[in-house]
Amino acid sequence: EPEVTQTPSHQVTQMGQEVILRCVPISNHLYFYWYRQILGQKVEFLVSFYNNEISEKSEIFDDQFSVERPDGSNFTLKIRSTKLEDSAMYFCASSTTEATKNIQYFGAGTRLSVL
Amino acid sequence: GQSLEQPSEVTAVEGAIVQINCTYQTSGFYGLSWYQQHDGGAPTFLSYNALDGLEETGRFSSFLSRSDSYGYLLLQELQMKDSASYFCAVKWGSGGYQKVTFGTGTKLQVIP
């Protein structure tokens, strides 16, 4: 069964450093998402991406965040200058163009630890 | 803004039926989804309701009442492996662009 893959599974970084989290969505999907989940809290929407541009973003997704689809398969989230409060699990998800459903398939996540 | 309310914890006995409620407030409502998340795992899609009524998928069913801004997830014949967190999530937006906002999650514990 096709799945969303994320690398690395765990990223440790120093405060102020840049990190890039990588995702390979399911191959025939067209909508891509990033979410974060701080330990013990709910899943929070960060950004959605369609047709090579951001379609929606939350207030969390400020200027230190950016997304890119550098080629036909990868979808990346960059955090320019990490802060301690960026420590969280980051999930990538993708979905199809079905009109009546929005089944988002989630990757296993990247745990980001900012020291 | 968007807000969703669901109970924080529910405990039920193996083999029983449990209902997890979700009330929401949002503009531009499209639909309500349910996701399951085991500790340390990724959310997994369970169901999506865009219209009023009941959707059944095996042991799981989901209900939506748009007029009441209310939905629930019904789990039947509970198994120990159903112990997990369950999130409702509203799909909302306008002009063709849509966001998803998750609730805070309900931790279900299934006991023997």
Side-chain angles (χ1 to χ4, degrees), chain B residues 11-18 59 75-83 108-112:
Chain B
T11 300
V13 178
E14 190 177 15
I17 299 172
V18 72
R59 294 188 296 115
L75 296 84
Q76 303 182 69
E77 301 172 20
L78 280 173
Q79 302 175 8
M80 298 299 291
K81 67 178 182 179
D82 297 329
S83 293
L108 171 64
Q109 183 181 13
V110 181
I111 58 176

Side-chain angles (χ1 to χ4, degrees), chain A:
Chain A
E1 185 176 325
E3 59 180 20
V4 176
T5 56
Q6 291 186 242
T7 54
S9 57
H10 190 190
Q11 175 83 51
V12 182
T13 190
Q14 296 288 329
M15 191 171 58
Q17 294 296 303
E18 174 184 288
V19 293
I20 297 177
L21 309 183
R22 302 182 190 280
C23 170
V24 179
I26 294 173
S27 63
N28 64 342
H29 285 189
L30 298 178
Y31 296 84
F32 313 117
Y33 311 86
W34 281 102
Y35 293 86
R36 79 172 185 192
Q37 186 175 32
I38 295 169
L39 187 63
Q41 298 186 24
K42 68 175 180 177
V43 176
E44 297 175 293
F45 169 80
L46 291 178
V47 66
S48 60
F49 192 87
Y50 170 72
N51 199 26
N52 285 319
E53 61 182 21
I54 290 173
S55 52
E56 288 291 342
K57 60 183 180 179
S58 72
E59 48 282 354
I60 301 169
F61 193 89
D62 60 22
D63 290 345
Q64 71 160 342
F65 291 92
S66 62
V67 290
E68 195 177 31
R69 189 153 163 82
D71 53 43
S73 60
N74 291 282
F75 180 51
T76 61
L77 175 70
K78 182 193 289 186
I79 309 176
R80 248 178 286 281
S81 177
T82 50
K83 302 191 279 269
L84 295 177
E85 53 265 37
D86 293 328
S87 294
M89 182 72 92
Y90 288 81
F91 291 107
C92 172
S94 68
S95 65
T96 67
T97 59
E98 281 188 71
T100 57
K101 290 193 177 185
N102 187 26
I103 303 174
Q104 296 192 19
Y105 296 85
F106 282 72
T110 293
R111 180 167 299 284
L112 176 65
S113 299
V114 182
L115 307 178

